[in-house]
Amino acid sequence: MTARYLLEQQVPATDVATPLPAPAPRISPAKPAGPARPEVGAARPTRVLLVEDDDALRTALRLLLTRHGYTVFEEGTGQSGLRSAYLRSPDLVLLDVMLPGIDGYEVLRRLRAVSDIPVIFLTARSDSADVVIGLTSGADDYIVKPCHSIEIIARIERVLHRYRAAERQDEAVYDDGVLRLDSQRLQAWVAGAPLPLSVTEFRVLDRLVRHANVV
């Protein structure tokens, strides 16, 4: 479904197609240990996509993020990073600029065509013009390497906090300039005028508005 949606949005098939994996080696089956019992009410770990072509740095960053409780996906090229961003739906992308194939700026440009996922550039390009290009291209932050690991974590948490705060606001209040819905107070307005609705009528309207074009 994700791939079909991306293709409908004119994303090139080469950006979406996943290469076939190499055949797995044949091993003797282990004795089944029984199904794992999921933790009731456990929150899903925040997923970070790390796109960095330096193997040593990528490993160090993965260990850092994992130690702070993040689930990390790793990619070493712009093309594979873009594909993972499309299909894995991470919560945040930590993106280098100088990548083999397509660079980080192009990865962000293509990603922004279909997604507003948080993206932080982590790059050695420290020129002020590069910083301006990165931020005006749609990046949420720009970190210059080398930097302290504490700074990386702090910036990631700040960007995620800002996005989550915006999502909470979106859940509470819908406003398209004409129709305004407050889901906490169960109140509605049209062009600034109160719309008298019962609780059930409000919930029906709120549901339809927030899921437009969805059956």
Side-chain angles (χ1 to χ4, degrees), residues 2-206:
T2 302
R4 184 163 58 248
Y5 166 78
L6 293 169
L7 293 173
E8 290 172 352
Q9 301 304 311
Q10 309 303 314
V11 172
T14 54
D15 289 351
V16 180
T18 304
L20 292 175
R26 297 181 61 86
I27 58 175
S28 300
K31 182 179 179 181
R37 295 175 62 87
E39 296 182 22
V40 177
R44 176 177 66 80
T46 301
R47 300 178 298 176
V48 174
L49 172 60
L50 173 60
V51 188
E52 167 64 58
D53 63 325
D54 186 305
D55 293 341
L57 179 57
R58 190 170 66 248
T59 298
L61 289 170
R62 172 175 54 79
L63 293 174
L64 170 68
L65 295 169
T66 302
R67 190 163 62 245
H68 282 80
Y70 295 101
T71 296
V72 182
F73 306 127
E74 300 177 59
E75 299 293 348
T77 69
Q79 193 75 38
S80 62
L82 183 64
R83 184 180 300 117
S84 286
Y86 283 150
L87 300 180
R88 291 182 182 272
S89 299
D91 299 300
L92 181 138
V93 179
L94 197 58
L95 179 63
D96 191 12
V97 171
M98 295 178 287
L99 294 167
I102 59 176
D103 64 17
Y105 295 140
E106 180 63 15
V107 171
L108 179 60
R109 187 190 69 79
R110 297 189 194 182
L111 189 57
R112 279 288 175 260
V114 293
S115 173
D116 62 352
I117 182 176
V119 175
I120 298 177
F121 276 126
L122 179 61
T123 175
R125 299 180 68 161
S126 59
D127 189 84
S128 58
D130 292 317
V131 177
V132 170
I133 291 173
L135 294 176
T136 55
S137 298
D140 296 273
D141 206 346
Y142 194 104
I143 306 174
V144 177
K145 298 181 290 191
C147 58
H148 200 285
S149 59
I150 297 177
E151 179 185 356
I152 297 175
I153 296 300
R155 287 179 181 250
I156 288 175
E157 292 179 350
R158 182 176 64 88
V159 169
L160 288 172
H161 175 76
R162 186 168 67 242
Y163 263 74
R164 287 165 179 165
E167 288 176 353
R168 288 193 295 271
Q169 177 66 18
D170 289 342
E171 291 174 359
V173 178
Y174 170 87
D175 193 337
D176 61 8
V178 177
L179 178 64
R180 178 180 174 85
L181 303 174
D182 188 328
S183 299
Q184 292 182 340
R185 294 188 292 174
L186 302 181
Q187 294 178 346
W189 298 264
V190 174
L195 187 63
L197 297 174
S198 69
V199 172
T200 300
E201 288 170 336
F202 177 90
R203 288 175 175 167
V204 171
L205 177 59
D206 186 73

